[in-house]
Amino acid sequence: MKVAVYPGSFDPITYGHLDIIERAALIFDKVIVAVCINPGKQPLFSLEERVEMISRECAPFSNVEVGSFRGLLSDFVRQRNARAIVRGLRAISDFENEFQMALMNRKLNPAAETIFLVSQPKYSYLSSSIVKEVASLGGDVAGFVSKRVATRLREKFFQTGGEDENGGERSGRFSGVG
Ligand code: PNS
């Protein structure tokens, strides 16, 4: 069975991620979406929230599992008997960092190949960070994340999942900003 790991922060999962997952699931027998627990980063969503959101979004894909790891990705890949690490490439600017990670991961686990899937142009400018910024300012993120994730973002930033004309009530954490 050909198993691939798709690692990331997924804070939160976007349509760009889902596109890579869907395409990887057509190539591999099993894809494990692996949320990295990085003690040096302060994510917006907890590990549990991220795993739950990914699990819901990936429910239609029968060969996709969701997991998490702490420490080295190369160790997690070995533990799960995976042969490939999948990463999405959006633009040339991604390349340098991805190239370095791929080479380091190959050094740490020569049995695993890093496979890059090129993002669809319509998602090439998407990142979790820019989606969070837009959502935090009350912008519409409907084209970038699922309805469920958009609701979770509104809950985080405005303490409500409900909509008003600005896509969220201005009564929460960011009320009064600007
Ligand atoms: O979604 P991201 O933030 O681009 O994902 C980056 C991630 C989690 C894939 C990367 O930081 C990672 O693999 N971290 C695990 C630590 C590790 O193995 N480091 C050494 C090899 S690069």
Side-chain angles (χ1 to χ4, degrees), residues 19-121:
D19 176 53
I20 299 292
I21 293 168
E22 186 172 3
R23 289 161 54 200
L26 293 173
I27 301 171
F28 295 97
D29 298 313
K30 184 159 91 176
V31 176
I32 303 168
V33 182
V35 184
C36 177
I37 305 167
N38 183 347
K41 268 192 182 175
Q42 186 57 56
L44 177 65
F45 292 98
S46 69
L47 173 67
E48 293 70 26
E49 288 173 318
R50 284 178 283 161
V51 166
E52 192 245 339
M53 282 188 280
I54 300 167
S55 302
R56 276 172 166 269
E57 300 307 325
C58 292
F61 311 123
S62 57
N63 61 338
V64 174
E65 273 180 25
V66 186
S68 61
F69 70 99
R70 195 186 289 277
L72 288 174
L73 170 62
S74 51
D75 288 341
F76 179 80
V77 168
R78 198 177 288 111
Q79 282 156 20
R80 303 301 295 261
N81 289 319
R83 290 292 313 278
I85 297 166
V86 171
R87 292 286 288 170
L89 262 191
R90 290 167 300 190
I92 297 289
S93 51
D94 277 346
F95 185 75
E96 199 172 327
N97 186 39
E98 293 297 333
F99 187 67
Q100 189 181 31
M101 282 204 305
L103 290 179
M104 180 56 79
N105 283 324
R106 183 156 71 190
K107 193 82 188 158
L108 296 169
N109 181 354
E113 285 289 349
T114 297
I115 311 277
F116 293 111
L117 295 184
V118 174
S119 290
Q120 291 195 53

Side-chain angles (χ1 to χ4, degrees), residues 115-131:
I115 311 277
F116 293 111
L117 295 184
V118 174
S119 290
Q120 291 195 53
K122 64 178 174 179
Y123 299 132
S124 62
Y125 63 96
L126 264 192
S127 69
S128 298
S129 307
I130 204 160
V131 168

